[in-house]
Amino acid sequence: MTVVLPRGAAAPGPVREDGVLRHAEIGTLELESGFRLPGVRLAYETWGTLAPDGSNAVLVEHALTGDTHVASGRARPGAPADEQRAAEAGGWWEGLVGPGAAIDTDRWFVVCANIVGGCYGSTGPASPAPPEVDPEGRPWGSRFPMITIRDAVRAEEALADALGVGAWRLVIGGSMGGARALEWAVTVPDRVRACAVIAACAQSSAEQIAWGQAQNLAIRQDPDFRGGDYYDGPAPVAGLGLARRIAHVTYRSAAELHHRFGRTPQGERDVIGARPAERGRYQVESYLDHQASKLAGRFDANSYLVVNEALMSHDVARGRGTLEEALARASCEWLVAAVDSDRLYLPHESDVLAAALPGEVRRRTLTSPSGHDGFLIEGPQLGKLLVETVLRED
Amino acid sequence: MTVVLPRGAAAPGPVREDGVLRHAEIGTLELESGFRLPGVRLAYETWGTLAPDGSNAVLVEHALTGDTHVASGRARPGAPADEQRAAEAGGWWEGLVGPGAAIDTDRWFVVCANIVGGCYGSTGPASPAPPEVDPEGRPWGSRFPMITIRDAVRAEEALADALGVGAWRLVIGGSMGGARALEWAVTVPDRVRACAVIAACAQSSAEQIAWGQAQNLAIRQDPDFRGGDYYDGPAPVAGLGLARRIAHVTYRSAAELHHRFGRTPQGERDVIGARPAERGRYQVESYLDHQASKLAGRFDANSYLVVNEALMSHDVARGRGTLEEALARASCEWLVAAVDSDRLYLPHESDVLAAALPGEVRRRTLTSPSGHDGFLIEGPQLGKLLVETVLRED
């Protein structure tokens, strides 16, 4: 495998670059299904510097539609302006990761990779298929394989090799990131010292599968989806938008929606019209319309299907006996945290996981009115939990 | 207005007919929006006999995709075989309504009407538009107006007139039926003696509106929907099926889905496939597929939009001041019951309603693992509540 440095980048040296998108070529990935995915590239960013003994590496795993930009950073002096801007932009766990933050990048070498199948720089359905699959180099589209959480971990293991990381001091993630963190600790136990599973579970539940199915159908039933081979035409933005609306409601709480929006109309137009198409929207509809168009503007529908299917497939015990037997493979210490108002990844599921884990397990709760998204929003609380538990000074 | 007896029916006489579909012509309905809907017909069924003093009438209001067949009955001797079969078929509150049941049809004269805009015999989007709207008599389709819960009550008031019911001893309904029951007691207070609002609320919440929007978009984004004018082609069954999947998950509980289905695959096929389209389904997916095709086989997509929009519009206080001021118009006694595991109509919303109601209010809870659908499933519990409260012997 080869690490491909960004355009114009100097060879790795003493100048620290944080939050800059890079790519690693990891070759062929052997998938759980038996499918061999050739020519895989993983996008990733790093913050801080790997210690000579390699003991300070932290892997941060992003959630379903997340990207590699966990926190703002800084490109090397002289880097192109767009690279500087991208590095300095705020990230999705801004404040949790950075110099002096709970995950202190003056101390830890932090890595975040885009999941294989995603659309933030890693090989995914929108990537050109290799010549043996498509001599014309058209995108994978409908031919892109199913990826499991375990497959994603195997890809990231190759990235760890490339970065010279023997074992992670900590693997941490929320939601689908939590599923990946857990799967890391069980699939590659000798390379994980501590694992933080936030707002996630051991095995995707019937409820989570049901919502996943609805989201996937919303995309697949969009006439612009065309079975997944839509890259030469309009993207299925309406279907992806509907998928996001469904998901987004499950990510928040009914109480929060009530307090923020209630039944208030958006603007002046009456919500009672002669025909439904002629009525004004409610604020909560306008809010979800905004969430839908934001996602449709930044995410590829095929990648949404791939990562959603990966999450539906999440079962750390698959092929490994009972849940307890599966988890007994791991040898790290644990933080398991739930969001108290989460209605998608129920706190009870964190209890089930914590009860089945071996070794030292801290089961904690994030307090938030915002539901599942609390794992993103309540960064300061989570930081406090981390420094008290898996990142404490010994 | 005219009551239209079913084909071959005798004039009303001493022979009691229960659970037989009938129709009433109620003329033009003046809607909240100002739209005048001409030539409205309401489908309804009755059980039992109206007392000479009219004191024993009970109105049962159906839920979103419900019909008029609350319980089995019996057609008059000599009625056509299909009419007999239809009357004798089990209903959606079977056991709660019938001879000797909690709503005892040997004592009460029970009526259930299909909501205007529905597809079980009342005027709706699939009905032929009148000549002034469409000289060719094509279905209303996209031209059908928005109906509010209040509009539906006004239509049923005309049915009460036609049936000779001055005041209802009880109006009862669950979910959207509960919204209609509440609206009856507030819109026409002098015609309601008691009101039972089951698994419903005073004003549809942001959460309920959000789920309603997703369901409506699922239908509207189906290419077969064609803006609502699809009656000369294939129906938007995929969109309607997705709407049902979304709704159905909100109608059940995560715990029930977990206990019934977990992550179990449906059949032999592996849930990990080379491509998602090639993988086997989970049982919970198969279950939701079944719910989707069942509804798509029995319900019209335009009607789904009309009744869903009606429910989203539900606000008993619209134009009537505060919630307390609006409810102060009512003068009946009340049963307000929630299902303990309901995550769509939260028990808290029943508390809010009960606290704001005037007069004698009983706030009760149905115990069920099944979520919102518990209001349908837990008929015996509900019957017990009714005979202890609003139907008790004085």
Side-chain angles (χ1 to χ4, degrees):
Chain A
M1 85 132 262
T2 331
V3 174
V4 182
L5 295 171
R7 177 173 54 84
V15 178
R16 177 172 142 187
E17 295 188 90
D18 282 359
V20 174
L21 190 67
R22 294 193 179 84
H23 298 87
E25 305 288 345
I26 62 166
T28 295
L29 192 63
E30 191 93 50
L31 303 177
E32 264 199 271
S33 66
F35 191 99
R36 290 169 56 86
L37 182 63
V40 175
R41 161 183 285 207
L42 282 194
Y44 68 97
E45 298 184 24
T46 69
W47 294 257
T49 308
L50 184 61
D53 66 356
S55 63
N56 70 332
V58 170
L59 179 63
V60 178
E61 299 279 37
H62 66 71
L64 196 74
T65 65
D67 60 21
T68 53
H69 203 57
V70 180
S72 56
R74 184 174 295 272
R76 65 181 164 74
D82 57 347
E83 196 178 306
Q84 290 283 5
R85 267 196 305 276
E88 289 169 20
W92 49 265
W93 251 349
E94 190 71 29
L96 184 69
V97 173
I103 302 179
D104 185 350
T105 52
D106 289 336
R107 176 172 179 191
W108 306 109
F109 174 64
V110 178
V111 178
C112 180
N114 184 218
I115 189 169
V116 58
C119 54
Y120 286 111
S122 291
T123 297
S127 305
E132 64 270 28
V133 173
D134 192 323
E136 295 175 46
R138 286 169 301 195
W140 279 96
S142 63
R143 297 167 296 186
F144 197 81
M146 178 171 180
I147 301 287
T148 67
I149 298 294
R150 213 168 287 176
D151 294 330
V153 166
R154 287 296 181 194
E156 290 158 22
E157 200 189 349
L159 176 64
D161 293 341
L163 295 174
V165 173
W168 301 103
R169 174 62 179 77
L170 171 67
V171 182
I172 178 174
S175 196
M176 188 183 79
R180 287 152 81 198
L182 176 63
E183 190 68 63
W184 250 102
V186 173
T187 301
V188 204
D190 55 330
R191 299 182 77 166
V192 180
R193 301 275 170 271
C195 181
V197 184
I198 317 298
C201 64
Q203 303 167 298
S204 287
S205 69
E207 167 94 355
Q208 290 148 10
I209 292 170
W211 287 129
Q213 183 199 38
Q215 293 162 44
N216 291 347
L217 283 173
I219 293 170
R220 291 184 177 131
Q221 292 180 185
D222 186 319
D224 288 332
F225 180 63
R226 296 190 284 144
D229 298 310
Y230 52 77
Y231 294 108
D232 59 348
V237 292
L240 180 57
L242 176 54
R244 181 57 163 194
R245 284 182 184 86
I246 298 167
H248 195 81
V249 179
T250 69
Y251 296 162
R252 314 300 294 204
S253 74
E256 186 206 16
L257 296 178
H258 173 70
H259 289 297
R260 286 178 68 180
F261 307 114
R263 299 184 44 78
T264 311
Q266 175 77 4
E268 297 296 307
R269 205 150 150 219
D270 196 340
V271 291
I272 308 299
R275 290 181 189 78
E278 293 160 18
R279 72 164 170 84
R281 290 182 301 174
Y282 294 93
Q283 276 189 3
V284 68
E285 292 182 296
S286 166
Y287 167 72
L288 291 167
D289 289 347
H290 177 66
Q291 299 298 329
S293 65
K294 261 204 325 191
L295 186 80
R298 72 174 177 88
F299 214 82
D300 176 53
N302 273 325
S303 275
Y304 194 94
L305 292 175
V306 169
V307 294
N308 215 23
E309 287 279 352
L311 189 50
M312 292 162 78
S313 82
H314 171 53
D315 180 359
V316 75
R318 183 170 51 249
R320 293 169 174 165
T322 66
L323 180 59
E324 285 73 9
E325 286 164 358
L327 297 177
R329 304 159 69 107
S331 55
C332 60
E333 59 176 293
W334 303 91
L335 169 65
V336 176
V339 181
D340 57 357
S341 58
D342 195 330
R343 40 122 153 232
L344 183 61
Y345 287 83
L346 303 176
H348 171 70
E349 294 172 74
S350 294
D351 295 337
V352 169
L353 170 61
L357 283 174
E360 189 169 359
V361 182
R362 271 73 162 241
R363 166 73 180 86
R364 297 289 188 275
T365 297
L366 297 171
T367 304
S368 170
S370 303
H372 183 60
D373 270 356
F375 87 87
L376 287 169
I377 297 165
E378 308 297 340
Q381 273 188 67
L382 178 55
K384 197 155 171 291
L385 291 185
L386 290 172
V387 296
E388 285 169 5
T389 60
V390 286
L391 286 184
R392 74 192 174 286
E393 306 280 345
D394 282 317
Chain B
M1 86 133 258
T2 332
V3 174
V4 181
L5 295 170
R7 176 173 54 85
V15 178
R16 176 173 140 184
E17 296 187 90
D18 282 358
V20 174
L21 190 67
R22 293 192 180 85
H23 298 88
E25 305 288 345
I26 61 165
T28 294
L29 192 63
E30 190 93 50
L31 304 176
E32 264 198 270
S33 66
F35 191 99
R36 290 169 55 86
L37 182 63
V40 175
R41 160 184 286 205
L42 282 194
Y44 68 98
E45 298 185 24
T46 69
W47 294 258
T49 308
L50 184 61
D53 66 356
S55 64
N56 72 332
V58 170
L59 179 63
V60 178
E61 300 278 39
H62 66 71
L64 196 74
T65 65
D67 60 21
T68 53
H69 203 58
V70 181
S72 57
R74 185 173 294 273
R76 65 185 163 72
D82 57 347
E83 197 177 305
Q84 290 283 4
R85 267 197 304 277
E88 288 169 21
W92 48 265
W93 252 348
E94 192 71 30
L96 185 69
V97 173
I103 302 180
D104 185 350
T105 52
D106 289 336
R107 178 172 178 192
W108 306 109
F109 174 63
V110 178
V111 178
C112 181
N114 183 219
I115 190 169
V116 57
C119 54
Y120 286 112
S122 291
T123 297
S127 305
E132 64 270 28
V133 173
D134 192 322
E136 295 174 45
R138 287 170 300 194
W140 278 96
S142 64
R143 298 167 296 186
F144 197 80
M146 178 172 181
I147 302 287
T148 67
I149 298 294
R150 213 168 286 176
D151 293 331
V153 165
R154 288 295 182 195
E156 289 158 23
E157 199 188 351
L159 176 65
D161 293 341
L163 295 173
V165 174
W168 301 102
R169 173 63 178 77
L170 172 66
V171 182
I172 179 175
S175 196
M176 189 184 76
R180 287 152 80 199
L182 176 62
E183 191 67 63
W184 250 101
V186 173
T187 301
V188 205
D190 55 330
R191 300 183 75 167
V192 180
R193 301 276 169 270
C195 181
V197 184
I198 317 299
C201 63
Q203 305 167 298
S204 287
S205 68
E207 166 94 355
Q208 291 148 11
I209 293 170
W211 288 128
Q213 183 200 37
Q215 293 163 44
N216 291 347
L217 282 174
I219 293 169
R220 291 183 178 133
Q221 292 181 185
D222 186 320
D224 287 332
F225 179 63
R226 295 192 284 144
D229 297 311
Y230 52 77
Y231 294 109
D232 61 347
V237 293
L240 180 57
L242 176 53
R244 181 58 162 193
R245 285 182 184 84
I246 299 167
H248 196 81
V249 179
T250 69
Y251 295 162
R252 314 301 292 204
S253 75
E256 186 206 17
L257 296 178
H258 174 70
H259 289 297
R260 286 177 68 179
F261 307 112
R263 297 184 45 78
T264 312
Q266 175 77 3
E268 298 296 307
R269 204 150 151 219
D270 196 340
V271 292
I272 308 299
R275 290 179 189 79
E278 293 159 20
R279 71 165 169 86
R281 289 182 302 174
Y282 296 93
Q283 277 189 3
V284 68
E285 292 182 296
S286 166
Y287 166 72
L288 291 168
D289 289 346
H290 176 66
Q291 299 299 330
S293 65
K294 262 204 323 191
L295 186 80
R298 71 173 177 88
F299 213 83
D300 176 52
N302 273 325
S303 276
Y304 195 93
L305 291 175
V306 169
V307 294
N308 215 24
E309 287 278 353
L311 188 51
M312 292 162 78
S313 82
H314 171 53
D315 180 359
V316 75
R318 184 170 48 249
R320 292 168 173 165
T322 66
L323 180 58
E324 285 74 8
E325 286 164 356
L327 297 176
R329 304 159 68 107
S331 55
C332 60
E333 60 177 292
W334 302 90
L335 170 64
V336 175
V339 181
D340 57 357
S341 58
D342 194 331
R343 40 122 153 233
L344 183 60
Y345 287 83
L346 303 175
H348 171 69
E349 295 172 74
S350 294
D351 295 337
V352 169
L353 170 61
L357 283 173
E360 189 168 358
V361 183
R362 272 72 161 242
R363 167 74 180 84
R364 297 287 189 275
T365 297
L366 297 171
T367 303
S368 171
S370 303
H372 183 59
D373 270 357
F375 86 88
L376 287 169
I377 296 165
E378 308 297 340
Q381 273 189 65
L382 178 55
K384 197 156 171 290
L385 290 186
L386 290 173
V387 297
E388 285 169 5
T389 60
V390 285
L391 287 183
R392 75 193 174 285
E393 306 280 344
D394 282 318

